[in-house]
Structures are given as C-alpha cells and as structure tokens.
C-alpha cells in the first residue's frame, strides 16, 4: 500500500529575512528618489547658481510667479505675499532648495531615511499644489510630484534596511535599537508599533490615493468627470482684464493679469481697440503704439514676470499683473462717451479679451 504524501510546505522566511528582501527591493527607488531631489537642490547651489541670483534672467522667482495662476488651496496668496517681500522670498527659495539637497543626499545614503522620506513627501505636496497644473502637452509637473509622493510614502514605511548608513550606524552602535527616535527617523529597524502597522500603512495609502487622484481629477477630470483642460489652461494664454476706466484726458486705464497658458513663452498683445456700445471704434492702438508705451504707462505689481513693451506690441510673462494706461491718440474723439464702452485686446494668436470701460 502506497504511503500518503504530505503536502509540501513552502519555505518560511523569518521576519528579518522578509525585511531584508523588502529593503533590497526598495533600494533602486530609494536612490533615485534621493537623486531627483538632490539634483533639484544641487543645480541651484552648485551647477546653475544663477537660479538663486536675483539679477539673473533665470532667477527662481520668475518660475515661482509663473505658478501663481493655477496654485491650489491658497498657495497663490502665499506666492503673491512672498513676491512682495524680497527677503522672505529669497529665504524661502534657499530653504526649499536646501531641503531638496539634504533630503536627497540622506535618501541616497540611507541616512535617517524615514525622516528624509517625510521631507520628500512635504516637498511633493507643495510642488503639486503650486505647479501641478502646468504642462503644455500633459500635466508633467503633476506626474512627477504624484510619483514622488507615492515613493516617499513607501520609503517612510519601508525604511532602508539594505546598503544604508542607517544599518552601518546601528551595527556600530547596537544600543540605538533601544532609542525610539532612531526607530522612527532611520530605516534600519521596523517602525516601533505593535499590531497597528497595517492601519498606519492603509492610512498612508488612503491619503496618497485621495490626494493624487483628487488633484488629477481637479486638473484634468477623467475620474468622476469627463476629461477637461483644467480650470487654468497650461497651454492657451488667457488675460483677465478688470477695472477699465476712461480718464478725463482721454487715456484708458485697466488692470491686466496673465492668468493662464504656458510659462515657456510670453503672451503678445498686438492691438487694443476702444469701442462704443454700438460697435463704433473710438480709439485704436496698434502694435507700434503698444511697443512704444513709456515705462510710466505700465505699473507692474511684481518685480519679476512683467508686462512690458515688446518688439511687436505689449508682451507679458506668465503670472504678470499690472495696471496699464493707454495714452490718448492725437486723432481720438472720446469726449462724447458718457456711458460704458469696451476695450478689446487682441493677441498674436488671434484671441480677444474684453473689459468694460467706464468714465471717471
């Protein structure tokens, strides 16, 4: 009679072996996550220091301002406040760049890995809130920040149990195993939680999914709503015009804000036309007139991205905001206007933007 074969049991791994395998699996993303953030900081401090030079053309404040039109959760007001206070702005850019550099180095080396991963999570959230709407062909800023957020969350939970300074430090000073701060901040040991790691991991997972998917749906839909171009277009320039006033001397003053489009290219206004309510042209400024506006005619609210005369008209960089005065033309007859008229700006792409003009 044949003997009954017992089912073969799969080999069991010890807890330490399982942690080691997971740590080896996370090694690639830990290093590259660190390299991404180190690269961002090192470019500004080492390889392209002009980014932190207020007198340079690629000074970081310009990119900072370009994010303002689509920034979420009030971060646009924070950006505006910093742009109006140079020393706070400069300190913020230095601290942000330093955080990127240090967190990146720590992640690559596996030193205080969980603390560095937590910093990378914060950086990813800030970047997504400010720049997530940008990307002329796709939301590439959102994609990068969303991936980095998920990677940071994974590293914060998983740690750095392989080829890391955390491990080397623990081997040199075994007493650190009793230090709570070391368990929480490094990645050489499991988190000091008893029976609640699953709940922590699921909470981190839920927060990551809700934030990433929620911002994606806001920017592009395609989750619970149809696809859309976003509340702020990252590709088509848009001018928000307000406070149109016809001054007693016949000049026209208005407020303009370039609040949509790509920061990679400026918007160019080619003509401005003042029309009465019945459609009659009362006054017109062509590209030549706009390109020769005096500096006193343009009061920019920020010192970085600005409205300014260009070679073919009036040029604006993303996020530029200004009060503009169009001087009266020599042949203009605006004295008969006693009610609202309309000022229309036409850009080089043929788009038109209107603002009601009242008499002062």
């Amino acid at each position: 009679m044949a003997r009954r074969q017992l089912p073969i049991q799969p080999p069991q791994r010890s807890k330490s072996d399982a942690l080691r395998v997971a740590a080896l699996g996370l090694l690639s993303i830990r290093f590259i996550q660190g390299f991404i953030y180190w690269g961002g900081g090192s470019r500004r401090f080492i390889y392209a220091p002009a980014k932190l030079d207020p007198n340079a053309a690629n000074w970081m404040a310009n990119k900072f301002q370009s994010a303002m039109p689509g920034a979420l959760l009030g971060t646009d007001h924070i950006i505006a406040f910093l742009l109006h206070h140079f020393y706070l702005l400069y300190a913020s850019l230095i601290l942000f760049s330093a955080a990127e550099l240090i967190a990146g180095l720590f992640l690559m080396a596996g030193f205080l890995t969980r603390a560095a991963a937590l910093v990378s999570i914060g950086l990813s959230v800030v970047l997504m809130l400010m720049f997530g709407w940008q990307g002329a062909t796709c939301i590439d800023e959102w994609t990068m920040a969303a991936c980095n957020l998920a990677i940071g969350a994974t590293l914060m939970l998983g740690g750095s149990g392989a080829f890391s300074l955390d491990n080397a430090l623990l081997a040199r000073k075994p007493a650190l195993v009793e230090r709570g701060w070391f368990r929480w901040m490094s990645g050489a040991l499991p988190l000091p939680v008893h029976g609640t790691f699953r709940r922590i991991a699921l909470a981190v997972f839920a927060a990551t999914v809700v934030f990433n998917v929620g911002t994606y749906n806001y920017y592009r839909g395609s989750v619970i709503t149809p696809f859309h171009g976003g509340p702020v277009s990252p590709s088509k320039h848009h001018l928000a015009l307000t406070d149109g006033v016809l001054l007693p001397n016949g000049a026209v003053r208005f407020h303009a804000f370039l609040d949509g489009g790509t920061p990679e290219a400026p918007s160019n206004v080619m003509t401005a036309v003042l029309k009465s309510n019945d459609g009659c042209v009362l006054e017109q400024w062509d590209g030549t007139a706009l390109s020769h506006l005096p500096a006193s005619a343009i009061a920019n609210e920020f010192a970085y991205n600005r409205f300014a005369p260009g070679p073919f008209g009036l040029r604006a960089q993303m996020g530029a905001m200004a009060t503009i005065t169009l001087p009266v033309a020599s042949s203009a007859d605006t004295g008969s206007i006693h009610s609202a008229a309309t000022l229309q700006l036409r850009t080089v792409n043929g788009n038109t933007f209107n603002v009601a003009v009242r008499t002062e």
Side-chain angles (χ1 to χ4, degrees):
M1 183 176 179
R3 298 179 61 185
R4 185 178 178 183
Q5 296 290 327
L6 295 175
I8 299 176
Q9 298 293 325
Q12 299 293 317
R13 291 186 182 273
S14 68
K15 186 175 181 180
S16 60
D17 286 342
L19 290 174
R20 179 69 175 176
V21 169
L24 288 169
L26 293 175
L27 182 59
S28 296
I29 66 169
R30 191 194 84 209
F31 185 88
I32 296 303
Q33 174 85 333
F35 182 78
I36 289 171
Y37 281 107
W38 174 84
S42 65
R43 282 196 303 274
R44 291 173 218 133
F45 285 120
I46 304 171
Y47 302 107
K51 289 179 176 291
L52 293 177
D53 181 358
N55 299 312
N58 54 348
W59 157 233
M60 276 294 294
N62 298 93
K63 181 174 177 61
F64 202 46
Q65 186 177 342
S66 75
M68 191 167 58
L72 299 182
L73 301 182
T75 51
D76 55 332
H77 298 296
I78 296 174
I79 294 173
F81 177 82
L82 292 174
L83 291 173
H84 281 131
H85 297 82
F86 172 78
Y87 292 107
L88 290 177
L89 171 66
Y90 193 75
S92 297
L93 293 175
I94 292 293
L95 289 173
F96 189 90
S97 300
E100 285 189 304
L101 182 73
I102 295 170
L105 284 172
F106 280 21
L107 284 172
M108 286 192 292
F111 178 62
L112 299 181
T113 305
R114 288 195 173 95
L118 185 61
V119 171
S120 77
I121 290 173
L123 294 172
S124 298
V125 170
V126 171
L127 289 171
M128 193 183 300
L129 291 177
M130 291 185 177
F131 298 97
W133 65 277
Q134 291 184 343
T137 57
C138 64
I139 47 176
D140 45 5
E141 298 283 359
W142 176 91
T143 301
M144 183 177 70
C147 290
N148 288 339
L149 173 58
I151 291 172
T154 301
L155 293 173
M156 185 182 67
L157 293 171
S160 60
F163 300 102
S164 67
L165 289 182
D166 287 337
N167 266 14
L169 190 60
L170 182 61
R172 187 178 181 86
K173 297 184 177 181
L176 288 174
V177 73
E178 304 296 332
R179 304 291 185 180
W181 67 266
F182 185 78
R183 280 183 171 269
W184 281 107
M185 296 180 68
S186 79
L189 297 167
L191 283 173
V193 292
H194 303 286
T196 58
F197 180 81
R198 181 174 182 271
R199 281 181 287 176
I200 292 176
L202 290 177
V204 171
F205 166 73
T208 302
V209 170
V210 169
F211 187 79
N212 279 351
V213 176
T215 52
Y216 180 82
N217 186 71
Y218 179 82
Y219 289 132
R220 287 295 183 271
S222 306
V223 179
I224 58 176
T225 65
F227 173 84
H228 56 75
V232 177
S233 172
S235 57
K236 296 180 180 179
H237 284 129
H238 181 270
L239 283 167
L241 306 178
T242 57
D243 300 329
V245 177
L246 179 66
L247 301 176
N249 64 356
V252 177
R253 185 181 66 211
F254 63 96
H255 186 269
F257 177 29
L258 185 60
D259 64 350
T262 174
E264 304 304 323
S267 177
N268 293 279
V269 178
M270 305 299 291
T271 61
V273 181
L274 181 66
K275 297 180 180 180
S276 64
N277 286 340
D278 58 7
C280 294
V281 175
L282 302 172
E283 193 164 358
Q284 181 168 329
W285 297 263
D286 60 13
T288 301
L290 295 175
S291 66
H292 288 86
L293 285 177
S296 59
I298 306 173
N300 283 285
E301 295 194 19
F302 303 105
Y304 311 105
N305 293 353
R306 302 162 64 90
F307 280 87
F312 308 109
L314 189 63
R315 173 178 291 182
Q317 297 170 301
M318 177 54 55
M321 190 181 296
T323 298
I324 301 169
T325 302
L326 301 177
V328 63
S330 58
S331 59
D333 180 16
T334 57
S336 60
I337 300 179
H338 299 289
S339 60
T342 299
L343 178 69
Q344 181 180 89
L345 303 186
R346 182 180 295 273
T347 66
V348 68
N349 296 323
N351 298 319
T352 58
F353 304 95
N354 300 321
V355 60
V357 175
R358 57 180 174 81
T359 56
E360 186 174 73

